Every structure is written in C-alpha cells, then in structure tokens.
Amino acid sequence: MAIDTSGVKIEDRPFDQVRQEAIDQLIMNYSHGIISSEAFERRLDIASDARTHQELVDVVADLTLQPDDTYQQQRDKSFSPRYQAGNDTRNEKIFCVLSSSEHSGQWLVPADIRVINILGSIELDFSEAVFQHQHIVIRVNNWIGSVNVLVPEQVNVVSNMFNIVGSTKNRARSIDGQQAPKITIEGYSVLGSLDVNLKRTMKEKFSAFADQFRSMFGLNKS
C-alpha cells in the first residue's frame, strides 16, 4: 500500500495532504522508470481531480517506491518561493501612459508597488520573482487600461479593487502556509481591467518537475 492507512483513518486525514502524498508517489515512481509517461499523466489527472480519499489511495496502490530525501530536497527547491534576506523598504512606481510595461524574470519585489496606468498595458510576472517581504501591497490606479498579474500557485493574492465600468478577475488560489507570500491588490479601475492568473497550473508544474527529476537519473520522457 503506497499511502499508509494503518494509523488515523484515511477519511479523517487532511485531504490536500493525502493528495500531495499521492502525487509525490507518482512522481517518484515515474522518475525511476517504474511507470510510463502515459501512465503518469493519466494517474496525475486522477490525483489532481480526485474528490475522495479513496481515489487517491487507489491511484497509487500498486506503487511501492517511496519519496526519499533527495526527492524532498528537489521538490522543496522547485516549489518554494524565492526569498532573499534583506531589509529593502523601497517603494516602486510604475507609470504607464499609452504604452506597455512588463516586470518579469528574477526581479526583486519591493514591499509597496504603485501602479498608474492610463490607456496602457502592464504585466507583473511574479513566477520567478525574488521576495524579501511576506506581505506585498500593489496600489492600482487604472484608467481605460489593462493590468495583468501572473503568480505561481504558492503565492496568495487578495484583491480589494473598486471598479467603475471595469472588471477584476482573481484566478489565483489562496493556500495555507506560513512561508507563502501574500500580495494584496487595492485601488480602482475605471473602464479598465485587472486580471490575476496563475503562470502555470499546479498540474503543469508537477509534470515539469517530474520530467526534471526523471532526467537526474538519466531517463528521458518516454
């Protein structure tokens, strides 16, 4: 039995924790060539969409290889937000008029970001950003423009926008965890839009990590 069911009843265990155990089992066994890429993708779909504990138990019931310390270290490295020690208290202002502005890559995120957008397009990509602060505030004044915020799944986003004939969509999923940075977006949008999206879904990130971890053992995707 890949998931231990000998202790606390499986139905009484935190569901997300059991799901993570199942996905870890799938990646570990796929990375060592025990299951094919087709089987891995099929089972990952089941684990990602599962609604019951038993579905998670069943999807890895025939897998015996357990995640080891090397696996855990690599997963923590891949899925933890990038932090850098420091006490940078600077504020950053992004001013965009009839133009476009993009922040992406491994940029150092300040504690406070002021966005003024007039008939422009702004993209803030936090997927590879380096955080020094647990809480980031983005203050938005958006006039007939678009603001797109891209985040990895391990970053929490709270939107407190006031819209006047405008729209705000927050597709980021809030997660628990003391290490997860929190971004608060506040301000107003007049005849404009603000969208918060995941850079990659968690399933896509697990698939990419599985292929990366598999390559460490000299195996290609098959």
Side-chain angles (χ1 to χ4, degrees):
M1 184 68 68
I3 293 179
D4 185 9
T5 59
S6 61
V8 176
K9 287 196 307 183
I10 192 69
E11 295 84 2
D12 291 340
R13 292 185 55 196
F15 186 75
D16 285 343
Q17 183 184 87
V18 178
R19 190 200 302 274
Q20 186 60 63
E21 287 184 24
I23 291 175
D24 287 342
Q25 290 281 344
L26 290 174
I27 294 174
M28 187 69 182
N29 284 268
Y30 167 64
S31 67
H32 285 73
I34 296 173
I35 57 176
S36 67
S37 60
E38 291 80 6
F40 170 70
E41 293 291 343
R42 183 180 70 252
R43 295 187 188 207
L44 183 59
D45 282 339
I46 295 172
S48 298
D49 297 336
R51 293 293 180 266
T52 68
H53 290 75
Q54 192 59 49
E55 288 178 276
L56 298 172
V57 171
D58 292 344
V59 80
V60 295
D62 58 341
L63 304 180
T64 57
L65 191 60
Q66 301 287 331
D68 55 16
D69 290 342
T70 299
Y71 172 85
Q72 192 63 48
Q73 291 170 5
Q74 289 297 317
R75 186 168 75 83
D76 289 346
K77 181 179 178 181
S78 295
F79 288 86
S80 297
R82 291 182 173 89
Y83 278 108
Q84 176 178 305
N87 189 29
D88 181 5
T89 58
R90 66 191 169 91
N91 298 331
E92 182 168 342
K93 180 180 287 186
I94 301 172
F95 192 72
C96 188
V97 179
L98 288 169
S99 57
S100 62
S101 176
E102 178 182 346
H103 280 53
S104 61
Q106 295 186 14
W107 59 292
L108 188 62
V109 180
D112 190 280
I113 302 173
R114 178 72 182 274
V115 173
I116 300 175
N117 186 29
I118 303 172
L119 291 165
S121 174
I122 294 176
E123 181 172 282
L124 301 176
D125 186 348
F126 292 91
S127 57
E128 297 181 9
V130 179
F131 294 88
Q132 284 192 125
H133 309 277
Q134 196 75 29
H135 187 200
I136 312 299
V137 178
I138 303 177
R139 308 177 197 279
V140 177
N141 300 140
N142 184 34
W143 293 82
I144 323 180
S146 64
V147 179
N148 188 28
V149 179
L150 300 174
V151 295
E153 182 135 338
Q154 66 269 24
V155 173
N156 290 319
V157 181
V158 176
S159 176
N160 297 318
M161 289 289 293
F162 178 70
N163 296 299
I164 303 174
V165 199
S167 66
T168 297
K169 294 180 181 178
N170 184 359
R171 298 181 180 87
R173 182 173 67 92
S174 293
I175 57 174
D176 295 326
Q178 295 181 347
Q179 296 302 313
K182 177 182 178 181
I183 298 175
T184 299
I185 304 174
E186 58 187 40
Y188 61 85
S189 184
V190 180
L191 291 169
S193 64
L194 185 142
D195 292 314
V196 181
N197 294 290
L198 294 173
K199 179 72 172 184
R200 288 192 297 180
T201 66
M202 210 58 175
K203 180 188 169 185
E204 291 171 335
K205 195 160 187 178
F206 277 129
S207 293
F209 170 68
D211 289 332
Q212 175 188 351
F213 193 61
R214 181 182 172 93
S215 68
M216 291 176 56
F217 300 97
L219 298 174
N220 297 320
K221 186 173 181 179
S222 60

